Amino acid sequence: MTQPIILLILKALEGRGAERMVTTLAQAYITMDYSVHVLCLEDSQEMPLDPRIKKHIVPYYEVFAQQQLATASEQASAYKAVAERIDYYVLNQIGVPDLILANIYKVNWIMAYSKLPNIVNVLHTAVSRQFQHQLSDDAVQTIAHLKMVYGAHPCSCVSAGAHQDLLALIGQGLNKTTTIYNPCDVTAIKQAAVERVDIEKFGLTDKGYMIHVGSFDTMKGHHDLLQAYAKTARKLPLILVGKGKLESEIKQLAIQLSIDKCVKFLGFQTNPYPLIASAALMVLTSKFEGFGYVIVEAQALGVPVISTDCPFGPRELLPAKNLISVGDIDGLALLIDRAIENLTHYTVPLNQQLLPNHIAQQYLSFGSVLELKNNEH
């Protein structure tokens, strides 16, 4: 009897939330005795994979390089060509998957042209926020495009807020939709956290700092974080883990605010969990999120978390006392000081329904319902 095949598709195994979701789910399906495959469009890899999980690369750059993508139709033609290449590769090198999880908008767009069965689009963020500028420039054309992308296959959103956002924006024209939260592998996170880094080399002591983990881009709210931190009592240094296009700008802001001696930039960490586990407090300051992965990772390690009450994930993971409105710099500063004075008050246990086996089963159930529906028609 052949093993059922699970295929997870994404752009690359970089160190963001969607990639953590893919590697965690892949691991869960391996333990459930599935044949698990991860297919990437780029070969860069920052996230480790279990050697039992088969990794595949179907590059898309050369298809785009062959065409001048001056118009929308030319761009669509290029995406169709990538979809055809993926279909051919999967059928010849992997087989017919029992479930395909397509992650990230660019992959969702490509797979809208795929002829493979059992595809589920996984939406990791709020579509209205992701396409805010395009919607303000040309709402009709943007919504028509999004209907094409997300109407092609069933969609699962990683938070109820992101799900409602999708329905409100697109509504009619969607296939079946659901909410399935991102999985949190507590066992793996705790094991990774045990690999203690020498925090002294960073000038840190155990439980002697607060931490923010996230890429340096606008949505992560580093500007607000530093402005708020400058207004706190600064009883603990602020550690920033991540990389991105705004990093040098944020470093300059720390100097301008005269807090550069209290703020440390540690760059991207392949294994951030020892740093999270040793932190006194985790802070999330995003403008918007699909889920808010670092919240549940901190919860898994028993670390207190406070966050902006951004659309859409944090309010589904944290109580109101742990949240502050986006853009409320003074309120964030006050919340940071309060949390540091009473850390246990801001510790929130992890929802056990977020464990990987539960989430993996939800995708299988969603997929089997879809298969049943398809067979009925």
Side-chain angles (χ1 to χ4, degrees):
M1 183 178 177
T2 59
Q3 290 177 302
I5 297 172
I6 304 287
L7 174 62
L8 301 104
I9 307 178
L10 73 169
K11 188 163 76 75
L13 282 169
E14 298 166 334
R16 299 187 177 91
E19 292 77 9
R20 292 205 293 280
M21 172 269 197
V22 165
T23 55
T24 301
L25 261 190
Q27 187 68 44
Y29 285 123
I30 275 290
T31 62
M32 296 164 67
D33 204 30
Y34 283 87
S35 175
V36 183
H37 302 259
V38 172
L39 188 150
C40 299
L41 304 179
E42 299 175 9
D43 200 13
S44 59
Q45 181 169 344
E46 296 169 344
M47 303 289 289
L49 270 184
D50 186 304
R52 294 173 295 173
I53 299 166
K54 301 174 185 69
K55 181 185 173 187
H56 308 266
I57 306 295
V58 179
Y60 67 117
Y61 281 129
E62 55 201 75
V63 173
F64 284 73
Q66 292 166 7
Q67 305 186 43
Q68 295 296 318
L69 306 179
T71 67
S73 63
E74 288 170 345
Q75 195 168 23
S77 176
Y79 276 70
K80 284 180 183 176
V82 178
E84 289 171 3
R85 177 182 292 190
I86 290 173
D87 286 5
Y88 180 84
Y89 180 93
V90 169
L91 292 175
N92 284 276
Q93 301 296 325
I94 297 173
V96 179
D98 296 86
L99 176 65
I100 300 173
L101 299 181
N103 298 267
I104 301 299
Y105 158 70
K106 185 173 285 188
V107 173
N108 299 149
W109 186 0
I110 290 168
M111 298 308 289
Y113 302 111
S114 172
K115 307 296 185 193
L116 294 171
N118 308 319
I119 298 172
V120 173
N121 286 323
V122 182
L123 282 72
H124 291 267
T125 192
V127 178
S128 69
R129 298 305 177 105
Q130 185 177 5
F131 291 90
Q132 188 170 357
H133 297 302
Q134 295 94 320
L135 286 164
S136 62
D137 291 341
D138 190 340
V140 173
Q141 184 174 335
T142 301
I143 290 174
H145 169 71
L146 293 173
K147 281 186 176 181
M148 184 281 293
V149 172
Y150 293 115
H153 306 295
C155 295
S156 175
C157 301
V158 297
S159 67
H163 186 191
Q164 289 303 314
D165 177 77
L166 176 68
L167 294 175
L169 181 64
I170 300 178
Q172 296 298 316
L174 283 173
N175 207 308
K176 188 175 177 65
T177 64
T178 193
T179 300
I180 301 178
Y181 289 115
N182 279 333
C184 182
D185 191 340
V186 176
T187 302
I189 289 171
K190 287 182 175 179
Q191 287 175 347
V194 170
E195 299 172 16
R196 294 285 176 182
V197 296
D198 183 10
I199 62 173
E200 287 78 13
K201 73 179 179 183
F202 297 121
L204 305 174
T205 57
D206 189 46
K207 302 303 177 185
Y209 58 91
M210 52 187 286
I211 193 168
H212 178 280
V213 180
S215 56
F216 284 88
D217 58 42
T218 305
M219 67 169 281
K220 294 299 182 182
H222 287 88
H223 286 88
D224 289 358
L225 174 59
L226 263 62
Q227 288 170 11
Y229 180 71
K231 295 187 173 201
T232 68
R234 281 178 259 163
K235 292 188 175 181
L236 296 177
L238 171 62
I239 306 307
L240 303 179
V241 175
K243 65 176 185 178
K245 59 187 177 183
L246 297 181
E247 185 172 355
S248 59
E249 184 179 320
I250 299 302
K251 285 180 177 177
Q252 189 59 40
L253 178 61
I255 294 170
Q256 292 171 3
L257 294 170
S258 301
I259 57 174
D260 50 303
K261 297 289 192 295
C262 306
V263 180
K264 295 182 184 293
F265 294 76
L266 301 191
F268 174 78
Q269 300 288 323
T270 303
N271 178 12
Y273 301 118
L275 286 165
I276 296 173
S278 293
L281 177 69
M282 164 74 76
V283 183
L284 186 75
T285 53
S286 298
K287 304 289 187 183
F288 69 92
E289 285 281 352
F291 180 65
Y293 232 126
V294 293
I295 293 175
V296 296
E297 291 173 333
Q299 289 173 339
L301 294 170
V303 176
V305 191
I306 58 174
S307 172
T308 47
D309 187 17
C310 66
F312 288 96
R315 71 186 63 168
E316 298 174 42
L317 302 169
L318 294 170
K321 71 177 189 297
N322 293 57
L323 302 169
I324 191 70
S325 298
V326 174
D328 186 352
I329 305 299
D330 291 334
L332 177 58
L334 186 61
L335 182 58
I336 289 171
D337 279 339
R338 282 177 178 167
I340 288 171
E341 288 298 321
N342 189 6
L343 291 166
T344 56
H345 188 60
Y346 295 90
T347 304
V348 180
L350 178 74
N351 179 354
Q352 297 300 297
Q353 291 304 307
L354 299 179
L355 294 178
N357 60 320
H358 291 298
I359 302 301
Q361 287 289 358
Q362 286 180 46
Y363 276 111
L364 291 173
S365 297
F366 187 51
S368 66
V369 169
L370 296 170
E371 187 176 3
L372 180 61
K373 295 285 185 187
N374 291 337
N375 289 339
E376 288 175 353
H377 292 292

